[in-house]
Amino acid sequence: MSHASLRSSVPALLLTLFGLGCASAGLLGREVLPPDVFLTNVKPIGMGLFEQRIELTFRVTNPNDFELPIEGGVFDLAINGAPFARGVTRGAVELPALGESFVTIEASTTTAELLSQLRGLGNQQDLSYALTGHFTLDDTLGIGRVPFTRESQ
């Protein structure tokens, strides 16, 4: 690379870095509120002797006045106080400012956990769930992970 082309690319590089700095500086010093996550659907997608695969659909609401660029997530789901499913996802979702998106994630549960839940449903009047986990955000924001917790009533 010649000195002339190097000199002409330096201002472009500085402008790009300044733009990235301004984009993330907008969040510096601001509190990031955790998204609200609601379980909206559970659908079986694969059955095996020891493991069952299910598809979970979540409605994710962003209470912040800025977009949350989600890169992935990790979660644990308990039903009626007992562990039921766990899953991870790696897929980009742009959660709009003061908006919501539906996120579908594949998860797994063991046969023992599934049978335990089915036995317990016969004795239960109500169905409750607890969802815990975190979303990993795009690194350019400098936030990292945003935890979430949801317990149904």
Side-chain angles (χ1 to χ4, degrees):
M1 183 183 281
S2 71
H3 289 293
S5 63
L6 181 61
R7 275 194 301 261
S8 65
S9 62
V10 168
L13 176 62
L14 290 175
L15 186 58
T16 302
L17 291 174
F18 177 75
L20 288 174
C22 288
S24 62
L27 297 180
L28 293 178
R30 294 172 72 182
E31 181 182 4
V32 178
L33 300 172
D36 292 318
V37 182
F38 302 90
L39 180 64
T40 61
N41 195 25
V42 177
K43 181 172 91 173
I45 57 174
M47 303 296 250
L49 183 58
F50 298 107
E51 180 183 74
Q52 285 65 51
R53 299 290 296 164
I54 54 178
E55 183 180 270
L56 302 171
T57 303
F58 302 107
R59 181 171 41 90
V60 184
T61 304
N62 181 4
N64 297 288
D65 61 357
F66 50 88
E67 183 177 88
L68 291 178
I70 297 172
E71 294 279 320
V74 176
F75 72 91
D76 288 297
L77 174 64
I79 295 181
N80 294 330
F84 180 67
R86 63 208 50 79
V88 297
T89 183
R90 178 143 182 89
V93 174
E94 297 295 325
L95 191 54
L98 301 172
E100 65 183 24
S101 291
F102 285 90
V103 178
T104 301
I105 300 173
E106 287 188 17
S108 62
T109 186
T110 66
T111 301
E113 289 168 333
L114 181 62
L115 291 175
S116 173
Q117 288 296 332
L118 291 174
R119 278 193 301 269
L121 285 178
N123 302 330
Q124 289 281 341
Q125 295 281 332
D126 297 321
L127 183 65
S128 64
Y129 71 88
L131 184 64
T132 58
H134 70 266
F135 290 117
T136 302
L137 302 181
D138 183 323
D139 283 342
T140 59
L141 296 179
I143 297 171
R145 295 180 174 182
V146 177
F148 62 84
T149 302
R150 166 66 56 194
E151 291 188 25
S152 70
Q153 313 281 324

